[in-house]
Amino acid sequence: MKGTHIFTCGEYDRARREIFPSLAVPAAKKLQRRRMSTKKFLGFGVAITPSSCYELNLMEKEERRALLEKVYGSELGLRVGRLCIGSGDYSPEIYSYDDVADDRELKHFSVARDEKYVIPMIKEILAINPDLYLFASPWSPPYWMKTGGSMCGGFMREEFVECYADYIVKFVQAYAEHGIKISAITPQNEANTQQAGRMPACIWHPETEARFIGVLKEKFAQNALNIEIWMYDHDFKDVDRVLWSLENCKGLKEACDGVAFHYYHGAMEESLRISREYPQMPIHFTEGGPRLTDNYGTDWCKWGSIVSTALRLGYRSFTGWNLMLDELGGPNVGPFLGICGGLVTRNSQSGELSFSGQYKAFSHFVPYMTPASEIFPIDEGDFFGYEVGKYPKHEEEIRGFCIDNHDGKLIAVIVNPNSAGAQTQLELGGALWYLELQGNSISTIIIELSL
């Protein structure tokens, strides 16, 4: 699966940076590399869910430290983390931070339940990487702010928009008191579904979401909180909702700092419609993880391909789903037990750790990236995507991207997701470099430049 090759090339014209990888078969086929947006790429990460924290808390301290060093230290070096505001489906229990009915003044607001194992585990991670970029998402407002009177399902009620914005501010402030800085918020995890009432979830009307973003932005400013707000946080297939909101909801374009997407339905390329209409609006990949039932430990090409596409489309960050779950994909209070896996799996009986194909894919490129890296995705021409949630069962384009850290080396990451091997030419400044790619492989090529 894994191959790292070092080549020394001749004169490299840094001003032009012309990189033209081309398939040897067919010879006429060419893939081109394009520069990403000049805006900073935040990095890669996973969700530090309550379930992940619960599993981490079960480990012996030294063993846990070794794992967290591996994930957030020099070996992998994740730089982004997603937190849950209260409980989600990947939680051992269901709760909000104020479960007292109609407490509009939020007198009973408390993050005490998070203090049991969620906050302590986040602190241990921050001790390893204090610069971790953290964003947070709620799965549901308190039950009394919704139709139906339950954390599971229902719609957000317009009359509680102001109160809920105060609730989010209190969450940010409470975590800050624990030394945990929240840098961005999404108003609702998956704003377009209530999951049939089977887990913490809430549907938001687009106009209610837009109003909430405006109110929350004002309250952040009033409390001197420099926090971004990323809207939507749901599947690629509903880009029309995002475009309608940005066009028709007054003040939303000014208050919103980005759009967040999950990978479960639709093609990632749909988000190009947002980038074309609103080129200054950052796009983020905020959820997608390995599946226990779908090549859990061997789906590295799936993730290499998805990451390559995201970088080609100019995504500003890439965050997977659970950091750690048990062998059944739990704990889980929702309907998805036995389906989703963690970046890492911990066996509940033996304590043995196993690593997903997503982890193995990340290991090919995340350690080579720094906050100053320039990323050059390889352009795949006119190919339009497909639903990326499942492991691919069809022939795909070879794809990849390049990383320039301005240190005299160029890192090329090339994904061959097909069963057959392939021959590839990498052209740098007129010189061709021949690559032999194994089937079902990610290759990391380190090219030493003569400058």
Side-chain angles (χ1 to χ4, degrees), residues 51 55 90 322-327 329-331 340-342 344-346:
S51 289
E55 287 298 314
Y90 283 87
N322 295 274
L323 167 59
M324 174 185 278
L325 296 174
D326 66 20
E327 74 278 11
C340 293
V344 182
T345 293
R346 181 180 183 272

Side-chain angles (χ1 to χ4, degrees), residues 230-303:
W230 304 344
M231 67 178 293
Y232 184 54
D233 208 13
H234 206 173
D235 293 332
F236 305 124
K237 70 173 184 176
D238 290 322
V239 165
D240 283 339
R241 169 187 168 126
V242 176
L243 289 171
W244 184 92
S245 298
L246 290 170
E247 180 64 27
N248 293 283
C249 297
K250 184 178 179 181
L252 179 60
K253 292 190 293 288
E254 294 74 23
C256 181
D257 300 293
V259 184
F261 283 103
H262 298 182
Y263 89 142
Y264 303 106
H265 296 98
M268 194 182 299
E269 285 83 354
E270 294 287 352
S271 60
L272 273 175
R273 297 166 58 200
I274 298 172
S275 299
R276 288 167 179 163
E277 291 290 327
Y278 303 95
Q280 300 306 312
M281 182 68 70
I283 308 293
H284 300 271
F285 185 105
T286 52
E287 186 178 311
R291 298 184 179 183
L292 295 174
T293 56
D294 194 13
N295 300 275
Y296 170 79
T298 58
D299 65 348
W300 47 76
C301 284
K302 167 184 171 178
W303 294 106

